[in-house]
Amino acid sequence: MARTYSGVNAQLGRSWYDYEGFRIEWSSPERYEIVGRVGGGKYSEVFEGIDMVNTDICIIKVLKPVASKKIKREVKILRNLTGGPNVVALLDVVQDPSSRYHSLIMEYVDNTEWKALYPVLGEVDIKYYTFQLLKGLDFVHSRGIMHRDIKPGNVMIDHRHRKLRIIDWGLAEFYHPGTAYHIRVGSRYYKAPELLVGYKQYDYSLDMWSVGCMLASMIFRKEHFFRGSDNDDQLLRIMKCLGTDCFDAYLKTYNIPFETELESLLQVYPKQPWTRFVTTENQPYASSEALDLLEKLLRYDHQKRPTAREAQGHTYFNIVRLQAASVKGD
Ligand SMILES: CN1CCn2c1nc1c(Br)c(Br)c(Br)c(Br)c12
Ligand code: NA
């Protein structure tokens, strides 16, 4: 059971979380012209486009037929989150009458590639963008929704305008206490321990592990902090960092059965102090507050991780929280 926001969907009611019964009015696609391809994946092809009515640049996310049963969920969630801080805006939903393809017209973000961006981010930038990510996630969780695929590729940053938007809500779900969710979600390097050991009654705290992985990569200047070659190796890298004492305690707390043939996953590993990862190169970013926040976020036990709101209150963000407050104040 989530420590916070556990009853939100029951309070907001069926019309809020029931996406099966949700009927979508699809507009015609003529209004939008595709300019060029920006990316794609299993479920969609993503293009840059032009809105011919207002000449605005936009993103056209063309959904593959395989995604069809999930379309209602993604559109319902994007509609529910409209206007929330740092959540990408859904501008329109169109269906091509001949091809039958569905497309989502999204707010454009002039995103700087993560690989190119994170080496140029200063310490205050890292605090600022992580704070903005937490602000967006606290809003999303407060509306009863888990993103379930937080990773650099789904956090668009327009560094010039200091704008951050969380994108790709195709794996997002509504949180209902006691529900057993799919564990084949997320992206390997950012998968929380609960997914890797098959614990299905997870909650919003799933996203907080992923935030911890992103923060660790920015602080230690490492593109992906836990870089497993497969799901077993992913868990092994986490164990070699957090140690196996806490892992065993975690399995016990939730009565999680854990079987494996892999010798490496049955070894005992000591917990590494976070100072172990500090180098002369990353030391300007690895302050004691930064390491303290990492220690709190990267916990096996999902109920022990701070919520997005609690994390925002950490002293690590003092400099940006005061800035945000002052801007609001004046
Ligand atoms: C894979 N790539 C690269 C850039 N970019 C990608 N997918 C995007 C989505 Br979905 C949205 Br919504 C926005 Br906005 C941007 Br920008 C996107
Ligand atoms: Na999206």
Side-chain angles (χ1 to χ4, degrees), residues 61 74 88 106 167-169:
K61 184 176 179 182
E74 182 170 0
V88 73
M106 319 286 297
I167 68 165
D168 204 345
W169 296 84

PDB file of all heavy atoms in Angstrom, residues 61 74 88 106 167-169, ligand 2:
ATOM      1  N   LYS A  61       2.963  11.856 -32.594  1.00  0.00           N
ATOM      2  CA  LYS A  61       3.307  10.511 -32.134  1.00  0.00           C
ATOM      3  C   LYS A  61       2.330   9.537 -32.798  1.00  0.00           C
ATOM      4  O   LYS A  61       1.178   9.440 -32.390  1.00  0.00           O
ATOM      5  CB  LYS A  61       3.207  10.436 -30.616  1.00  0.00           C
ATOM      6  CG  LYS A  61       3.632   9.120 -30.017  1.00  0.00           C
ATOM      7  CD  LYS A  61       3.582   9.196 -28.485  1.00  0.00           C
ATOM      8  CE  LYS A  61       3.987   7.876 -27.847  1.00  0.00           C
ATOM      9  NZ  LYS A  61       3.895   7.920 -26.363  1.00  0.00           N
ATOM     10  N   GLU A  74      -3.508   5.740 -22.422  1.00  0.00           N
ATOM     11  CA  GLU A  74      -2.564   6.858 -22.569  1.00  0.00           C
ATOM     12  C   GLU A  74      -3.302   8.185 -22.746  1.00  0.00           C
ATOM     13  O   GLU A  74      -2.965   9.178 -22.109  1.00  0.00           O
ATOM     14  CB  GLU A  74      -1.621   6.607 -23.755  1.00  0.00           C
ATOM     15  CG  GLU A  74      -0.583   7.709 -23.920  1.00  0.00           C
ATOM     16  CD  GLU A  74       0.522   7.400 -24.923  1.00  0.00           C
ATOM     17  OE1 GLU A  74       0.504   6.299 -25.526  1.00  0.00           O
ATOM     18  OE2 GLU A  74       1.425   8.254 -25.078  1.00  0.00           O
ATOM     19  N   VAL A  88       4.092  16.806 -20.316  1.00  0.00           N
ATOM     20  CA  VAL A  88       3.928  17.230 -21.705  1.00  0.00           C
ATOM     21  C   VAL A  88       2.440  17.358 -22.037  1.00  0.00           C
ATOM     22  O   VAL A  88       1.625  16.562 -21.549  1.00  0.00           O
ATOM     23  CB  VAL A  88       4.627  16.237 -22.667  1.00  0.00           C
ATOM     24  CG1 VAL A  88       3.865  14.929 -22.791  1.00  0.00           C
ATOM     25  CG2 VAL A  88       4.850  16.885 -24.024  1.00  0.00           C
ATOM     26  N   MET A 106       1.332  16.329 -29.712  1.00  0.00           N
ATOM     27  CA  MET A 106       1.856  16.748 -28.408  1.00  0.00           C
ATOM     28  C   MET A 106       2.579  18.083 -28.510  1.00  0.00           C
ATOM     29  O   MET A 106       3.086  18.460 -29.575  1.00  0.00           O
ATOM     30  CB  MET A 106       2.868  15.716 -27.900  1.00  0.00           C
ATOM     31  CG  MET A 106       2.525  14.264 -28.118  1.00  0.00           C
ATOM     32  SD  MET A 106       1.251  13.666 -27.017  1.00  0.00           S
ATOM     33  CE  MET A 106       2.071  13.859 -25.470  1.00  0.00           C
ATOM     34  N   ILE A 167       7.549  12.902 -20.690  1.00  0.00           N
ATOM     35  CA  ILE A 167       6.829  12.431 -21.877  1.00  0.00           C
ATOM     36  C   ILE A 167       6.601  10.918 -21.813  1.00  0.00           C
ATOM     37  O   ILE A 167       7.034  10.263 -20.871  1.00  0.00           O
ATOM     38  CB  ILE A 167       7.606  12.774 -23.170  1.00  0.00           C
ATOM     39  CG1 ILE A 167       8.907  11.964 -23.248  1.00  0.00           C
ATOM     40  CG2 ILE A 167       7.857  14.272 -23.277  1.00  0.00           C
ATOM     41  CD1 ILE A 167       9.539  11.964 -24.612  1.00  0.00           C
ATOM     42  N   ASP A 168       5.943  10.428 -22.864  1.00  0.00           N
ATOM     43  CA  ASP A 168       5.660   9.017 -23.096  1.00  0.00           C
ATOM     44  C   ASP A 168       4.924   8.352 -21.941  1.00  0.00           C
ATOM     45  O   ASP A 168       5.507   7.636 -21.139  1.00  0.00           O
ATOM     46  CB  ASP A 168       6.932   8.241 -23.441  1.00  0.00           C
ATOM     47  CG  ASP A 168       6.558   6.994 -24.222  1.00  0.00           C
ATOM     48  OD1 ASP A 168       5.354   6.659 -24.196  1.00  0.00           O
ATOM     49  OD2 ASP A 168       7.435   6.378 -24.853  1.00  0.00           O
ATOM     50  N   TRP A 169       3.609   8.571 -21.939  1.00  0.00           N
ATOM     51  CA  TRP A 169       2.724   8.045 -20.898  1.00  0.00           C
ATOM     52  C   TRP A 169       2.089   6.725 -21.314  1.00  0.00           C
ATOM     53  O   TRP A 169       1.103   6.290 -20.725  1.00  0.00           O
ATOM     54  CB  TRP A 169       1.697   9.116 -20.552  1.00  0.00           C
ATOM     55  CG  TRP A 169       2.401  10.294 -19.979  1.00  0.00           C
ATOM     56  CD1 TRP A 169       2.994  11.314 -20.684  1.00  0.00           C
ATOM     57  CD2 TRP A 169       2.676  10.550 -18.608  1.00  0.00           C
ATOM     58  NE1 TRP A 169       3.612  12.185 -19.817  1.00  0.00           N
ATOM     59  CE2 TRP A 169       3.433  11.738 -18.539  1.00  0.00           C
ATOM     60  CE3 TRP A 169       2.348   9.885 -17.419  1.00  0.00           C
ATOM     61  CZ2 TRP A 169       3.867  12.282 -17.336  1.00  0.00           C
ATOM     62  CZ3 TRP A 169       2.782  10.431 -16.215  1.00  0.00           C
ATOM     63  CH2 TRP A 169       3.528  11.619 -16.187  1.00  0.00           C
TER      64      TRP A 169
HETATM   65 NA    NA B   2       4.267  11.356 -24.884  1.00  0.00          NA
END
